[in-house]
Amino acid sequence: IRNQSTNMTGLTVSTDLLPKMTTTYNNCGVFKAGMRRFPDFIITNQTIYESYETIARNLQQINANTSIQASLGFGDLSFKGVPIFWAPECPAGHMYMFNLEHWSFVVDTFAWFDMNEWSKKPNSPDRQAQILTTGNLMLDNFLKQGVIYNIGS
């Protein structure tokens, strides 16, 4: 079983990103497992994030009747109420939609915050100790996760 995936090869960001986001989001919600049916976290790279903001800005309506200042741009972005973030480590041309209800961090109880003996740091009055922690990030439902790739390629 694989995650939901959408290839945007040959498609444009300006006209095709929002429809592909809608389809991927809805495909992630088809299989009704858990309390949260749809993705609740979206991450992409800075270029796609800024392209999405440009699309949103072009659809924005400015109402100046409540303030004498015009406020352009957005503080935070979201899609269908789901926050969108960007990370420099996110691969170029990718957007990930995650349903975090189906993620868990499983710890190894035999190596959970095990600390070694304190030791003196070389050439310093400070002491140091190392702490060992072992765990694994697990997903229990890949069908609730989505990726859009080759965005803008």
Side-chain angles (χ1 to χ4, degrees):
I1 298 176
R2 294 183 44 138
N3 60 309
Q4 307 297 327
S5 62
T6 303
N7 185 351
M8 281 194 56
T9 299
L11 303 176
T12 63
V13 172
S14 61
T15 59
D16 298 310
L17 181 60
L18 290 180
K20 293 301 180 187
M21 288 176 69
T22 300
T23 300
T24 303
Y25 179 88
N26 289 333
N27 287 345
C28 290
V30 169
F31 303 97
K32 302 175 186 176
M35 295 294 293
R36 287 190 303 255
R37 181 175 171 188
F38 294 101
D40 55 5
F41 184 84
I42 299 173
I43 192 160
T44 189
N45 63 26
Q46 184 177 356
T47 303
I48 296 168
Y49 183 90
E50 290 173 356
S51 296
Y52 181 84
E53 183 173 11
T54 300
I55 293 168
R57 190 179 314 117
N58 290 337
L59 299 173
Q60 181 182 24
Q61 182 178 23
I62 300 172
N63 289 329
N65 59 354
T66 59
S67 172
I68 58 172
Q69 298 175 337
S71 178
L72 302 176
F74 300 93
D76 296 315
L77 297 179
S78 64
F79 177 75
K80 294 186 176 267
V82 177
I84 300 176
F85 302 96
W86 70 270
E89 297 83 10
C90 190
H94 285 68
M95 176 181 283
Y96 297 94
M97 295 185 179
F98 297 128
N99 186 321
L100 299 180
E101 180 178 343
H102 298 282
W103 289 41
S104 59
F105 185 71
V106 179
V107 300
D108 181 353
T109 56
F110 295 106
W112 186 245
F113 284 95
D114 289 339
M115 188 170 88
N116 68 356
E117 297 295 320
W118 286 98
S119 62
K120 197 163 173 41
K121 288 177 77 174
N123 303 322
S124 173
D126 296 335
R127 296 184 317 150
Q128 67 184 8
Q130 294 176 332
I131 297 175
L132 174 66
T133 301
T134 305
N136 197 10
L137 185 60
M138 308 288 288
L139 283 111
D140 66 10
N141 193 338
F142 287 99
L143 292 172
K144 303 296 286 181
Q145 318 303 318
V147 60
I148 304 171
Y149 58 99
N150 292 331
I151 301 171
S153 61

